[in-house]
Every structure is written in C-alpha cells, then in structure tokens.
Amino acid sequence: MTPETAGDNLPRILIIDDEVAIRRFLRTVLSSEEFSLHEAEHGHAGLSVTATIRPDLILLDLGLPDLDGIEVIKRIREWSQVPIIVLSVREREEDKIAALDAGADDYLTKPFGVGELLARMRASLRRARQLTPEPTFVRDDLEVNLELRRVLVKGLEVQLTPTEYDLLKLLISQAGKVLTHRHILNKIWGPSHLEQPHVLRVNISNLRRKIEPDPAQPRYITTEPGVGYRLV
C-alpha cells in the first residue's frame, strides 16, 4: 500500500492490481484529481487494506495472482458496500455479469478512456454519499416524485403500470450503476422469473416508449449489451 496524496478529507481510492504498468498509469491520471491514492498488488493485500483504510472507492482488476477478483468482491460485500469499479481485460459478457452479480458497481474493459473512468468514479462516489434517495429525481425533461409516485415528462404526467413504475424506481435507486438482468428480474418479479429475460425486455421497451424522447436512442435507460441496464 502506498498513499500517493495526503489529506484526510479527500476521497480514498484503493487500486488493487498486480500490473505495475497499470498502477503507474492510474497514479498518473488520478494524481491531478483530489484523491488520496492507495495500492495493493494482490487480492489478500487488497482485502487487508480495505479493512484498514476503509476506502471510498475501489478500482479492481479481476486477474489477480492469488485470489480471483470475483472472490475479492464477494468477500468485501460480506461487510462493506464500498463502490467497486472493475477494470479488466476480460471482455466476455459472462465475466461482466459475474462481477456485477457478485456486487461490483461498474465494469470497464481495458483499455479504457480516462474521461470515462473519471466519470464512472464520480458517479459511484456521488451514489455512495447519497444515503437515502432524494424524494424527486430530475433528469432533463424527466421528473419522478418518489413520494407521490408521479412521473412527469416535459411537465405532463405519464401513466405507468405498477410494474413499470417499480422498474423505474429500482433503476433510479441505483442511478449510474449497471443492473444485471437477473438482479432486476429477482427484485421486480422474484426468483421464479430469473430465466425469463423477455419479460424484462418487454417492460423496458414499454417504459422507454413512455418516458424517452426517442425510444430508439434512449437518453435515460441505456442498455449494457448482454448484461443489463443502466439509468444514466
């Protein structure tokens, strides 16, 4: 573990990656940001550092020499909800789904853009600070009053079915985070529907038609191909 910047009030970022070049690259691109940087070279060290410094966000590689990153996520999730962004060369949908189902908040495939990484980090940090959902969610022309269960588009109320509303509310509660198909199906329809993704696709399509300016090019609910959905 190597603190790269000082300051108790700065967000603590833990990098768990065995590749020296990747850690050096992340130090370089993050050093100009207001972060307190820490490092761990393998999974067990990452778990120890996590328990010691209680980071505000973890950047995690999956291909660690001693402990697979999926297992690291599972062990951290036994006691902590710290945001975890996976940075991995693994491109298969199965790997992304496994990481997200294990409890990762986001997934970026190497190589990735610095701007995108910083945007994902900011979104995860904002979400972690928001202990309770705001009573009203506003994004461009979309407004959702969670207390009154009212959905407005351009100031006009939109009628959603109970299932569509519950789906939108779930996405809002995890805004910016990728939710896998299985996670959404379990939360909205229960375990008996885990193998029925068509039910989710139909409801997402109907919801988009009601709230999106252009359902064919969604602005609010984006698709992570083969993985799930994200409310931007």
Side-chain angles (χ1 to χ4, degrees):
M1 178 188 70
T2 305
E4 296 297 324
T5 61
D8 292 339
N9 295 324
L10 297 180
R12 295 178 299 279
I13 309 299
L14 173 58
I15 303 167
I16 307 178
D17 198 309
D18 65 313
E19 295 186 46
V20 175
I22 292 295
R23 296 202 308 275
R24 184 185 303 119
F25 167 74
L26 290 172
R27 283 201 307 269
T28 300
V29 301
L30 298 179
S31 61
S32 61
E33 305 294 323
E34 294 188 345
F35 296 134
S36 174
L37 301 180
H38 305 259
E39 297 177 20
E41 297 180 7
H42 51 79
H44 286 103
L47 293 172
S48 177
V49 175
T50 299
T52 301
I53 71 168
R54 301 299 177 98
D56 297 294
L57 185 144
I58 296 174
L59 301 177
L60 172 68
D61 181 31
L62 294 184
L64 301 172
D66 63 330
L67 197 64
D68 189 78
I70 301 294
E71 182 62 26
V72 173
I73 296 170
K74 291 179 179 178
R75 294 194 188 185
I76 291 175
R77 283 294 174 256
E78 291 176 358
W79 61 275
S80 173
Q81 292 303 311
V82 57
I84 300 173
I85 299 178
V86 170
L87 308 178
S88 177
V89 295
R90 300 180 188 176
E91 298 180 343
R92 297 189 312 161
E93 292 174 358
E94 293 87 346
D95 294 315
K96 296 179 181 180
I97 292 171
L100 293 165
D101 277 344
D105 292 75
D106 214 335
Y107 195 111
L108 277 174
T109 304
K110 300 175 182 176
F112 47 81
V114 174
E116 183 176 11
L117 171 62
L118 291 173
R120 301 282 183 92
M121 290 176 66
R122 288 192 294 267
S124 292
L125 289 169
R126 282 196 303 269
R127 188 165 58 249
R129 294 190 195 104
Q130 192 173 337
L131 300 179
T132 56
E134 294 292 333
T136 301
F137 174 87
V138 179
R139 172 76 164 84
D140 297 336
D141 294 328
L142 175 65
E143 179 178 336
V144 181
N145 188 310
L146 298 172
E147 290 183 335
L148 301 178
R149 294 178 64 94
R150 293 185 69 208
V151 179
L152 304 177
V153 176
K154 294 185 177 180
L156 300 177
E157 187 164 2
V158 175
Q159 297 298 323
L160 302 183
T161 68
T163 298
E164 290 166 355
Y165 179 81
D166 289 343
L167 183 55
L168 179 58
K169 183 179 178 181
L170 175 62
L171 290 167
I172 288 174
S173 72
Q174 302 291 324
K177 180 177 179 178
V178 179
L179 300 184
T180 65
H181 298 132
R182 289 175 62 86
H183 177 84
I184 299 173
L185 287 165
N186 185 52
K187 288 288 187 180
I188 303 299
W189 288 277
S192 62
H193 285 73
L194 292 181
E195 304 305 325
Q196 299 182 31
H198 63 281
V199 174
L200 175 57
R201 286 196 298 269
V202 169
N203 278 271
I204 287 288
S205 177
N206 292 338
L207 182 56
R208 281 173 168 164
R209 279 201 297 269
K210 293 180 179 181
I211 69 171
E212 294 281 1
D214 181 1
Q217 296 181 323
R219 176 190 302 176
Y220 308 125
I221 302 174
T222 61
T223 300
E224 296 290 332
V227 178
Y229 299 97
R230 181 203 309 265
L231 190 135
V232 178

